[in-house]
Amino acid sequence: GIEEARRGDRRLGPRDGWAAGARPRDRRRPVATAGAAPTMATASKAIGVPIKLLHETEGHMVTIELRNGEIYRGHLNESEETMNCLITDVVATAKDGRVTKMENVYIRGSQIRFMILPDMLKDSPVFDKVKQLKRQDDAKHPPKKRPQRKGK
């Protein structure tokens, strides 16, 4: 009881706000609470330009090649920050050339080698921020002028 608590050997349980049934090496890890999760506002700040562009592609035709060589072409219904994608009206082409039509396919983002997005996204407002940052960077660091060499 008291002696164990003084020595720090006390077993922590769910009443203490720690993981129930935790193994000895996990005892000091707190249980994640609902308030600890990032809000949507803070999560959106961490999303980069490629993921924002992927979200803008939703509803359009995409082509996805996987790491194993399979190719999927269909309408992107949904995408996540992890690049997991739900595509519909899919035409799948296997490595050996076999073509299969499917209604829905859910693709794990870590298996994607590359994606071909519609050309219309070149004018996406996502790139406005990138262009603005590039202009600011160019203003801070103008290109160095090389001294002209005099010819002989």
Side-chain angles (χ1 to χ4, degrees), residues 34 46 49 68 90 101 113 126 139:
V49 172
N68 64 7
V90 182
K101 292 185 179 182
R113 178 176 291 152
V126 171

Side-chain angles (χ1 to χ4, degrees), residues 99-114:
V99 176
T100 310
K101 292 185 179 182
M102 293 180 261
E103 197 173 310
N104 296 308
V105 176
Y106 190 79
I107 298 174
R108 183 182 173 102
S110 64
Q111 296 302 308
I112 296 174
R113 178 176 291 152
F114 69 86

